[in-house]
Amino acid sequence: MFLTVTLVVSAVTLIYVYLSWYNNYWRKRGVPGPAPRLLLGNFPSFILRHRSFVEEIEEIYNKFRTRGNFIGVFNGRQPTIMVLNPSMVKDVLIKDFKNFQDNEFADSINKESDPIFGRNPFMLKGEEWKQKRAEVTPAFTTSRMKSLFPLIEDVALRADKFINDNKNQPIETRELCAKYTTDVVSSCIFAADAQSFTSDKAEIREMGRKLMEPNFQVVLMFLVLGFVPALKKL
């Protein structure tokens, strides 16, 4: 009995030490930032789903924006820099982007098991990312964007008609925005009418809903990867 209790206490202690090991990471380096919560870090809504992830970012930003150009936060148990100063954000995204082009999700995707998502420009890095970016960039020139405006305007008119036709009943704003986005993307990229505003079960909208719905398996996967990054490839 004593041995069992000892083993349990030791295991719990080791788990606690492992999960809280980086909690003083930013404090030791003199970087300001909010104290993380065990297991959840500074963004618990990603797991708990009790409010928008953006609200947590805004709350942290408002609290620390006068304390420096950046702060240290925790994504799960992983230390992460959160840039607050607009000029520094611009440097990261434009002037010095070559030093920040890779993202943490790239190593989580296996192109062999997921050949479509694995070749998504947002999931690539290094030279492969540069090559794909060069292929995509011509689609977003000023003249191309101007040529898409009539298509976007047409979708806006359809959205306006949908709102007027349903003005005597509640309209779910999130679903309205999702319908609008679906039709704009379908019209501009696929040259197809997704019929999100005219069909109750529009196929493209339904597929988009399945893609974006909270998925426990995906949340669990990112939770585990946040705790044990070494499992990414596995």
Side-chain angles (χ1 to χ4, degrees), residues 33-188:
R37 294 170 61 178
L38 190 67
L39 296 176
L40 305 174
N42 295 120
F43 308 106
S45 66
F46 183 75
I47 304 299
L48 302 179
R49 315 297 253 182
H50 63 300
R51 62 171 178 166
S52 169
F53 177 71
V54 176
E55 289 181 42
E56 291 181 334
I57 294 179
E58 182 182 29
E59 187 177 280
I60 294 173
Y61 171 78
N62 289 333
K63 183 177 180 180
F64 289 92
R65 63 181 178 178
T66 60
R67 303 192 190 183
N69 293 327
F70 61 88
I71 58 172
V73 295
F74 291 85
N75 186 11
R77 65 185 294 271
Q78 297 300 307
T80 306
I81 285 287
M82 179 175 171
V83 182
L84 306 178
N85 183 282
S87 297
M88 185 174 286
V89 171
K90 186 176 181 180
D91 287 343
V92 169
L93 296 178
I94 301 176
K95 181 181 177 182
D96 301 313
F97 186 67
K98 64 180 181 296
N99 299 313
F100 300 96
Q101 63 190 32
D102 292 344
N103 64 75
E104 60 185 300
F105 300 110
D107 294 329
S108 304
I109 304 300
N110 187 316
K111 285 187 290 187
E112 299 301 322
S113 59
D114 195 343
I116 296 178
F117 196 55
R119 287 172 172 78
N120 186 309
F122 294 103
M123 295 294 122
L124 300 176
K125 61 181 183 179
E127 290 299 321
E128 193 172 14
W129 174 84
K130 290 182 180 179
Q131 180 181 353
K132 187 61 63 175
R133 181 179 183 274
E135 295 175 6
V136 174
T137 299
F140 296 96
T141 61
T142 302
S143 59
R144 289 285 181 89
M145 297 302 290
K146 285 183 177 179
S147 69
L148 296 177
F149 183 78
L151 299 176
I152 298 174
E153 187 177 32
D154 180 61
V155 175
L157 293 174
R158 276 183 262 159
D160 183 65
K161 183 178 184 303
F162 176 82
I163 293 172
N164 287 322
D165 291 344
N166 294 275
K167 61 184 178 182
N168 295 322
Q169 60 186 7
I171 297 178
E172 174 58 52
T173 307
R174 181 177 180 181
E175 180 62 21
L176 175 67
C177 294
K179 288 176 181 289
Y180 178 80
T181 302
T182 300
D183 275 24
V184 167
V185 171
S186 298
S187 297
C188 294

